[in-house]
Amino acid sequence: NAGVTQTPKFQVLKTGQSMTLQCAQDMNHEYMSWYRQDPGMGLRLIHYSVGAGITDQGEVPNGYNVSRSTTEDFPLRLLSAAPSQTSVYFCASSYGRTTEAFFGQGTRLTVV
Amino acid sequence: ELKVEQNPLFLSMQEGKNYTIYCNYSTTSDRLYWYRQDPGKSLESLFVLLSNGAVKQEGRLMASLDTKARLSTLHITAAVHDLSATYFCAVDILPPNNDMRFGAGTRLTVKP
């Protein structure tokens, strides 16, 4: 059972480039979310989804887009990368909003 | 402004000692989560607390929730080195805001 799989693990982008962070889960979880983790600030919610076709914004959504076409996948898109988006990104999934969440291994993104 | 405050942020303790980590939050919520993160690793769910007075225990860790005081505690009993990690609390912000706010984390070091 793979759980939550994120790719890539590391990425360096130039300012203005775009990219997609992939997140896939094989637990048939309805609830998926993306967070960024910056030093000393804990995690901050970027976007979340309560099921296929349904997404909503979290605390820090600007500069990021998401879509949820299937239950399994929840990609995060950076349309025009900025240095302020340098961070570690975590994807998480859970059966429901109030159940135990499972996190991916993270993507360390550097924007230069 | 919604705030989730953990204290202490850094905790160094000796093996065998007891200590408590506090998580205060500034909004109405009866859903609180505790996570553990080892250096350079992902987050692991520890406890899900969903009602006032909820208490959960796993090994040397016990978590409780007082929604009236907007306070959750994570109590460590007879600490061992393996408990060294960063511990985060997270508060589920109910509609209409629909957010998940994390504390900044408590970095725990248990020394022999």
Side-chain angles (χ1 to χ4, degrees), chain A residues 5-81:
Chain A
T5 303
Q6 286 183 238
T7 56
K9 288 187 170 55
F10 301 94
Q11 182 71 49
V12 178
L13 288 179
K14 293 183 178 178
T15 298
Q17 285 185 317
S18 63
M19 79 159 296
T20 299
L21 280 63
Q22 302 291 344
C23 175
Q25 53 90 11
D26 61 359
M27 297 174 281
N28 202 31
H29 285 169
E30 290 295 327
Y31 191 85
M32 296 186 73
S33 50
W34 276 102
Y35 296 89
R36 60 178 288 173
Q37 184 176 29
D38 300 302
M41 295 185 71
L43 278 73
R44 290 184 291 171
L45 181 64
I46 305 172
H47 285 285
Y48 67 94
S49 169
V50 299
I54 306 170
T55 64
D56 206 344
Q57 298 178 351
E59 181 187 0
V60 289
N62 292 341
Y64 308 95
N65 278 353
V66 292
S67 60
R68 184 97 180 268
S69 56
T70 67
T71 299
E72 294 78 20
D73 300 300
F74 190 44
L76 178 72
R77 282 182 286 276
L78 283 72
L79 300 178
S80 178

Side-chain angles (χ1 to χ4, degrees), chain B residues 82-97:
Chain B
D82 285 351
L83 289 179
S84 297
T86 299
Y87 293 85
F88 293 95
C89 65
V91 178
D92 196 346
I93 310 300
L94 301 178
N97 292 312

